[in-house]
Amino acid sequence: MKKELEICVRSLVGFEELKAKMMDMGFKVQEDFQLNDIYMIENDREISMDVADDILSNYVLVRETVGKRIMLVLKNKKINENGEIVSQRSVKCQISNKDEGYNFMLNLGYKKFLELNDHNVLLTNGKNEIYIQDVSDLGVYLEMEQKNLLLDNNNGDTLEEMIDNLKQYNLPIDDGDFFAKKAYDMLLKNI
Protein backbone atom coordinates (compact mmCIF):
# COMPACT_ATOMS: atom_id res chain seq x y z
CA MET A 1 0.00 0.00 0.00
CA LYS A 2 1.17 3.47 -0.85
CA LYS A 3 1.24 6.00 2.03
CA GLU A 4 -0.55 9.26 1.26
CA LEU A 5 -1.10 12.51 3.17
CA GLU A 6 -3.97 14.85 2.42
CA ILE A 7 -5.97 17.63 3.99
CA CYS A 8 -9.59 18.49 3.33
CA VAL A 9 -11.59 21.55 4.42
CA ARG A 10 -15.13 22.77 3.97
CA SER A 11 -15.60 25.85 1.84
CA LEU A 12 -17.54 28.80 3.25
CA VAL A 13 -18.65 29.85 -0.25
CA GLY A 14 -20.13 28.12 -3.28
CA PHE A 15 -18.21 26.16 -5.90
CA GLU A 16 -18.12 28.84 -8.62
CA GLU A 17 -17.21 31.62 -6.18
CA LEU A 18 -14.31 29.62 -4.73
CA LYS A 19 -13.10 28.67 -8.21
CA ALA A 20 -13.25 32.33 -9.34
CA LYS A 21 -11.27 33.49 -6.27
CA MET A 22 -8.56 30.95 -6.97
CA MET A 23 -8.40 31.81 -10.66
CA ASP A 24 -8.03 35.49 -9.69
CA MET A 25 -4.95 34.39 -7.70
CA GLY A 26 -3.38 32.83 -10.79
CA PHE A 27 -4.64 29.25 -10.51
CA LYS A 28 -5.56 27.50 -13.75
CA VAL A 29 -7.90 24.56 -14.33
CA GLN A 30 -5.95 21.36 -15.07
CA GLU A 31 -8.79 18.84 -14.90
CA ASP A 32 -12.57 18.95 -14.58
CA PHE A 33 -14.33 15.66 -13.87
CA GLN A 34 -17.21 13.87 -12.14
CA LEU A 35 -16.38 11.32 -9.44
CA ASN A 36 -18.91 8.70 -8.31
CA ASP A 37 -17.98 6.58 -5.29
CA ILE A 38 -19.77 3.66 -3.68
CA TYR A 39 -18.39 2.99 -0.17
CA MET A 40 -18.46 -0.65 0.91
CA ILE A 41 -17.67 -2.54 4.11
CA GLU A 42 -17.99 -6.15 5.24
CA ASN A 43 -21.59 -7.35 5.71
CA ASP A 44 -21.14 -8.04 9.42
CA ARG A 45 -19.94 -4.53 10.31
CA GLU A 46 -22.32 -2.19 12.10
CA ILE A 47 -23.21 1.13 10.46
CA SER A 48 -23.71 3.86 13.05
CA MET A 49 -22.15 7.14 14.13
CA ASP A 50 -20.79 5.33 17.21
CA VAL A 51 -18.40 3.41 14.97
CA ALA A 52 -18.03 5.99 12.18
CA ASP A 53 -14.26 6.45 12.63
CA ASP A 54 -13.80 2.68 12.58
CA ILE A 55 -15.90 2.28 9.42
CA LEU A 56 -14.12 5.15 7.69
CA SER A 57 -10.67 3.82 8.51
CA ASN A 58 -10.98 0.65 6.42
CA TYR A 59 -13.30 0.29 3.42
CA VAL A 60 -13.44 -0.34 -0.31
CA LEU A 61 -14.60 2.14 -2.94
CA VAL A 62 -16.13 1.27 -6.26
CA ARG A 63 -14.89 4.47 -7.93
CA GLU A 64 -15.93 5.83 -11.29
CA THR A 65 -14.09 8.82 -12.71
CA VAL A 66 -16.66 9.49 -15.43
CA GLY A 67 -15.24 9.14 -18.92
CA LYS A 68 -11.80 8.11 -17.65
CA ARG A 69 -11.53 5.02 -15.46
CA ILE A 70 -13.29 2.71 -13.04
CA MET A 71 -11.52 1.01 -10.17
CA LEU A 72 -11.76 -0.72 -6.85
CA VAL A 73 -9.88 1.23 -4.19
CA LEU A 74 -9.00 -0.25 -0.80
CA LYS A 75 -8.62 2.60 1.72
CA ASN A 76 -6.92 2.24 5.07
CA LYS A 77 -6.68 5.35 7.26
CA LYS A 78 -5.15 6.02 10.64
CA ILE A 79 -7.40 8.41 12.56
CA ASN A 80 -6.13 9.87 15.84
CA GLU A 81 -8.16 10.56 18.99
CA ASN A 82 -9.06 14.04 17.66
CA GLY A 83 -10.63 12.56 14.53
CA GLU A 84 -7.74 13.75 12.35
CA ILE A 85 -6.49 11.55 9.51
CA VAL A 86 -2.78 11.33 10.26
CA SER A 87 -1.95 8.84 7.50
CA GLN A 88 -3.67 6.83 4.85
CA ARG A 89 -2.85 4.16 2.35
CA SER A 90 -4.66 2.87 -0.69
CA VAL A 91 -4.50 0.02 -3.16
CA LYS A 92 -6.11 0.50 -6.55
CA CYS A 93 -7.28 -2.07 -9.06
CA GLN A 94 -8.62 -0.88 -12.39
CA ILE A 95 -11.79 -2.60 -13.58
CA SER A 96 -13.85 -2.24 -16.75
CA ASN A 97 -17.40 -1.97 -15.41
CA LYS A 98 -18.78 -0.23 -12.30
CA ASP A 99 -21.79 -2.56 -11.92
CA GLU A 100 -19.64 -5.66 -12.24
CA GLY A 101 -17.21 -4.27 -9.64
CA TYR A 102 -20.10 -3.52 -7.28
CA ASN A 103 -21.57 -7.02 -7.76
CA PHE A 104 -18.12 -8.56 -7.26
CA MET A 105 -17.83 -6.80 -3.88
CA LEU A 106 -21.36 -7.91 -2.91
CA ASN A 107 -20.38 -11.51 -3.70
CA LEU A 108 -17.26 -11.15 -1.55
CA GLY A 109 -19.49 -10.34 1.43
CA TYR A 110 -19.50 -6.54 1.34
CA LYS A 111 -22.40 -4.11 1.53
CA LYS A 112 -22.88 -0.52 0.44
CA PHE A 113 -23.04 1.96 3.30
CA LEU A 114 -22.64 5.22 1.46
CA GLU A 115 -22.54 6.84 -1.95
CA LEU A 116 -20.85 10.14 -2.84
CA ASN A 117 -21.04 11.96 -6.16
CA ASP A 118 -18.96 15.06 -6.70
CA HIS A 119 -17.89 17.46 -9.41
CA ASN A 120 -14.13 18.04 -9.11
CA VAL A 121 -11.88 20.70 -10.53
CA LEU A 122 -8.11 20.39 -10.14
CA LEU A 123 -6.46 23.81 -10.04
CA THR A 124 -2.75 24.62 -10.07
CA ASN A 125 -0.64 27.74 -9.89
CA GLY A 126 2.62 25.97 -10.76
CA LYS A 127 3.48 25.57 -7.08
CA ASN A 128 0.45 23.80 -5.57
CA GLU A 129 -2.40 21.66 -6.85
CA ILE A 130 -5.75 21.99 -5.10
CA TYR A 131 -9.03 20.21 -5.78
CA ILE A 132 -12.39 21.93 -5.39
CA GLN A 133 -15.12 19.33 -4.87
CA ASP A 134 -18.84 20.07 -5.14
CA VAL A 135 -20.35 17.09 -3.33
CA SER A 136 -24.02 16.41 -4.20
CA ASP A 137 -26.38 16.98 -1.25
CA LEU A 138 -23.48 18.03 0.99
CA GLY A 139 -21.56 21.13 -0.06
CA VAL A 140 -18.19 22.32 -1.31
CA TYR A 141 -14.84 21.01 -0.07
CA LEU A 142 -11.27 21.87 -0.89
CA GLU A 143 -8.68 19.08 -0.88
CA MET A 144 -4.90 19.11 -1.08
CA GLU A 145 -2.92 15.90 -1.50
CA GLN A 146 0.72 15.63 -0.55
CA LYS A 147 1.83 14.49 -3.99
CA ASN A 148 0.92 16.71 -6.89
CA LEU A 149 -0.60 14.95 -9.86
CA LEU A 150 0.98 17.06 -12.61
CA LEU A 151 3.80 18.98 -10.90
CA ASP A 152 7.24 17.62 -9.99
CA ASN A 153 7.15 18.98 -6.43
CA ASN A 154 4.81 18.11 -3.57
CA ASN A 155 2.50 20.23 -1.40
CA GLY A 156 4.54 19.64 1.76
CA ASP A 157 6.44 16.89 3.52
CA THR A 158 4.21 16.97 6.63
CA LEU A 159 0.59 17.74 7.37
CA GLU A 160 1.70 20.98 9.03
CA GLU A 161 3.56 22.11 5.89
CA MET A 162 0.53 21.27 3.76
CA ILE A 163 -1.76 23.26 6.08
CA ASP A 164 0.63 26.22 5.99
CA ASN A 165 0.76 26.04 2.18
CA LEU A 166 -3.03 26.11 1.97
CA LYS A 167 -3.41 28.89 4.55
CA GLN A 168 -1.14 31.22 2.55
CA TYR A 169 -3.95 31.72 0.00
CA ASN A 170 -6.43 33.09 2.60
CA LEU A 171 -9.30 31.25 0.97
CA PRO A 172 -12.84 31.36 2.41
CA ILE A 173 -12.61 27.97 4.15
CA ASP A 174 -13.37 26.52 7.58
CA ASP A 175 -9.78 26.64 8.83
CA GLY A 176 -10.84 25.15 12.15
CA ASP A 177 -10.85 21.66 10.62
CA PHE A 178 -8.25 20.59 8.05
CA PHE A 179 -9.40 16.98 8.29
CA ALA A 180 -13.01 17.28 7.15
CA LYS A 181 -14.36 13.94 6.05
CA LYS A 182 -16.94 14.07 3.27
CA ALA A 183 -17.95 10.48 3.95
CA TYR A 184 -18.40 11.22 7.66
CA ASP A 185 -20.52 14.27 6.88
CA MET A 186 -22.70 12.26 4.48
CA LEU A 187 -23.02 9.40 6.98
CA LEU A 188 -24.10 11.88 9.65
CA LYS A 189 -26.67 13.35 7.26
CA ASN A 190 -28.11 9.95 6.31
CA ILE A 191 -28.26 8.21 9.72
Side-chain angles (χ1 to χ4, degrees), residues 2 12 19-20 32-33 46-47 55 57 63 81 96 101 109 115-117 128 131 153 165 167 169 172:
K2 182 177 93 175
L12 301 176
K19 180 179 167 188
D32 189 329
F33 58 95
E46 175 189 350
I47 301 172
I55 292 171
S57 65
R63 169 166 281 175
E81 62 278 351
S96 59
E115 197 163 339
L116 286 180
N117 302 297
N128 295 115
Y131 290 88
N153 65 324
N165 278 330
K167 281 183 173 181
Y169 299 113

Side-chain angles (χ1 to χ4, degrees), residues 35-105:
L35 195 64
N36 301 320
D37 286 334
I38 299 172
Y39 287 68
M40 303 189 78
I41 57 172
E42 296 91 347
N43 277 332
D44 60 351
R45 290 182 67 192
E46 175 189 350
I47 301 172
S48 75
M49 292 313 295
D50 293 336
V51 293
D53 280 348
D54 181 52
I55 292 171
L56 296 172
S57 65
N58 191 7
Y59 57 90
V60 174
L61 293 174
V62 180
R63 169 166 281 175
E64 175 187 26
T65 307
V66 176
K68 293 185 177 190
R69 63 188 159 277
I70 304 166
M71 58 181 55
L72 298 177
V73 182
L74 171 64
K75 291 274 196 170
N76 184 278
K77 300 179 180 189
K78 183 176 178 185
I79 302 172
N80 69 16
E81 62 278 351
N82 298 323
E84 300 169 343
I85 301 168
V86 294
S87 70
Q88 65 177 325
R89 300 177 191 276
S90 65
V91 176
K92 300 173 183 174
C93 175
Q94 193 154 343
I95 58 175
S96 59
N97 182 290
K98 180 181 174 184
D99 294 332
E100 288 177 8
Y102 177 71
N103 287 327
F104 179 78
M105 293 307 300

